[in-house]
Amino acid sequence: MNDVVTLAHGAGGRQTAELIDTVFKAHFANPQFTGDDAAVLPVGDARLAFTTDGFIVSPSEFPGGNIGKLSICGTVNDLACMGAQPLYLSCAFVIEEGFPLAKVEEYAAAMEKTAAEAGVRIVAGDTKVAGKGQVDNLFITTTGIGRIIDGVHTSGTQAKPGDAVIVTGDIGRHGCTILLARNEFGIDADVTSDCAPLWGTVRAMLDVTKDIHVIRDATRGGVGTVLYEIAGQSQVGIRLNSQAIPVDSSVRGVCGMLGLEPLYLACEGRLVVFAPKDKAQALVDTLRKGPYSQQAAIIGEVTAEQPGRVVVQTEIGAETLLPPPGGELLPRIC
C-alpha cells in the first residue's frame, strides 16, 4: 500500500479495499461492520439498514441530474440493496465561500424532489462553510436508515453456484456522462446519467420473490468491480455472456474511441442482482415493466470454478478473464 492517499484509493477497486482493510477495518471492526452497501442492525423485532455516503462529483451538474439528486439516490439505493424501505435521511453540506446561494437552493430543491419520489424524509442536517479554495464548490454527505422487509436477507457473501446474474438496465451511463460533461476529449455524444432512486425497483423484485441472494448498487468501479467484490466475498466464480450485457450505443461508441471497458464505468441507477436461476426470468420480466429497469437482462451465472474470478464468454464462444479492477479510471464520479 502507498505511503500517501491517491485518487485510486477512492475508485472502489483494489486500492479502496486495501485502504478499508488495513486502516478502517483494522480500527473499526465489530460484529456489525460490513462490506455490504449498508449495515444490518437488529432493533427489537425489526432489522434496520444504516448507511452513509459522501458526494463530491465534478461537475456538480450533468445531463440527468446534479449533486443534490445524486446525494439522495446514492443513499436510498444503498438501503434498498439490503431489502430495506428507506425511511429517514440526514444531510451535511460543506460549501465553499463565494459559492452562489441560488445554486445551493437549486440542489436542495433537487434533493426535496428526489426524496419525495423515494418516499423518504430528510429529518436532520449540518452546514459548514469552508474558506475559498478549501473545498471545490459544494460537498454533500447523506446518511440513511430504513427497515428491512421481513424474510429478506441479501449480502455479497451469499452468491451461490447456479445463481443467475442480472443487471437492471444498460450499464456505464453515469460514468460516461460525467466524462463527457468535463469536455476534456471534445467528444459530442448524447448520453444522460442513469441517476435514479431504486427502492421501487427493489420492491417490485421482492414482490416476485424474497429469495434474492445479492443486490448491489453498481456505482464507483461499475458492474465489473461489483462482480469481483461479490466473487471474492462469496468465494465463487462468475461467468458472463458478453452478448447479453446491455450497453447504450452512444456509451459503447465513446468507450470504443477512448479504449474504456463499459463494465468499469459507474452507474447511479443500476443494480446487480444474484438470484436462483429458476426465479431469474420472472424477475427480469417484472423489472422490464418498471421506469428505471426496462433493459434488465440476465448477463451470466455463478459457478463453483475459479473462485474469486470473473470470466467473459465472447461472441465467438471463447472465454477470457475480465481484468481485475485496478487504479482510478475516472475520479470524482459521485
Side-chain angles (χ1 to χ4, degrees):
M1 187 166 149
N2 293 332
D3 293 332
V4 297
V5 175
T6 69
L7 286 173
H9 288 110
R14 176 175 55 82
Q15 290 91 335
T16 302
E18 289 176 354
L19 177 63
I20 292 170
D21 288 341
T22 60
V23 178
F24 301 133
K25 188 175 180 180
H27 291 284
F28 302 159
N30 62 73
Q32 281 73 46
F33 190 85
T34 182
D36 290 318
D37 282 330
V40 176
L41 308 176
V43 180
D45 294 332
R47 290 179 302 137
L48 301 182
F50 183 67
T51 191
T52 192
D53 209 345
F55 298 88
I56 61 171
V57 62
S58 177
S60 55
E61 298 176 29
F62 47 86
N66 58 38
I67 191 172
K69 178 181 180 181
L70 184 65
S71 70
I72 301 299
C73 292
T75 295
V76 164
N77 294 349
D78 283 350
L79 296 172
C81 286
M82 307 310 296
Q85 178 181 1
L87 297 175
Y88 304 108
L89 299 181
S90 70
C91 57
F93 295 83
V94 180
I95 308 169
E96 183 182 21
E97 176 190 14
F99 188 67
L101 189 59
K103 285 295 181 184
V104 178
E105 185 171 5
E106 178 183 337
Y107 299 154
M111 295 172 72
E112 176 189 25
K113 180 179 178 180
T114 309
E117 180 182 352
V120 68
R121 292 182 178 178
I122 301 170
V123 295
D126 182 52
T127 304
K128 297 291 191 297
V129 176
K132 189 73 174 176
Q134 293 181 331
V135 65
D136 184 7
N137 291 335
L138 174 75
F139 295 164
I140 302 175
T141 297
T142 48
T143 298
I145 192 164
R147 180 166 182 154
I148 300 173
I149 301 300
D150 290 343
V152 177
H153 299 272
T154 63
S155 172
T157 63
Q158 294 189 25
K160 297 175 174 55
D163 279 355
V165 180
I166 299 167
V167 291
T168 60
D170 63 297
I171 67 170
R173 279 209 283 145
H174 180 73
C176 188
T177 299
I178 296 300
L179 185 151
L180 295 176
R182 292 177 185 171
N183 201 28
E184 296 174 354
F185 298 99
I187 298 173
D188 185 16
D190 184 17
V191 183
T192 301
S193 173
D194 57 354
C195 183
L198 299 177
W199 166 241
T201 301
V202 172
R203 177 75 260 189
M205 288 193 293
L206 296 177
D207 286 342
V208 174
T209 178
K210 294 179 181 177
D211 188 15
I212 298 175
H213 298 155
V214 185
I215 307 175
R216 186 65 63 83
D217 194 12
T219 53
R220 291 181 305 170
V223 171
T225 296
V226 164
L227 293 174
Y228 263 104
E229 287 176 353
I230 294 167
Q233 285 181 281
S234 293
Q235 278 302 289
V236 295
I238 296 173
R239 181 184 295 114
L240 300 180
N241 176 1
S242 63
Q243 297 293 95
I245 301 171
V247 183
D248 178 82
S249 59
S250 294
V251 173
R252 193 181 297 278
V254 172
C255 288
M257 284 188 280
L258 298 178
L260 301 175
E261 169 54 68
L263 283 165
Y264 285 122
L265 284 180
C267 308
E268 287 293 345
R270 302 292 183 255
L271 303 172
V272 179
V273 180
F274 287 60
K277 193 173 296 185
D278 62 353
K279 307 287 198 332
Q281 191 57 54
L283 288 170
V284 168
D285 291 344
T286 294
L287 286 166
R288 288 178 176 171
K289 298 173 185 176
Y292 302 124
S293 51
Q294 294 176 2
Q295 296 185 57
I298 300 169
I299 65 168
E301 63 181 350
V302 178
T303 70
E305 295 80 35
Q306 302 189 64
R309 292 192 169 192
V310 181
V311 299
V312 180
Q313 188 173 53
T314 67
E315 58 187 33
I316 62 172
E319 287 190 356
T320 183
L321 180 69
L322 180 69
E328 179 64 82
L329 178 63
L330 186 66
R332 293 189 57 186
I333 47 81
C334 64

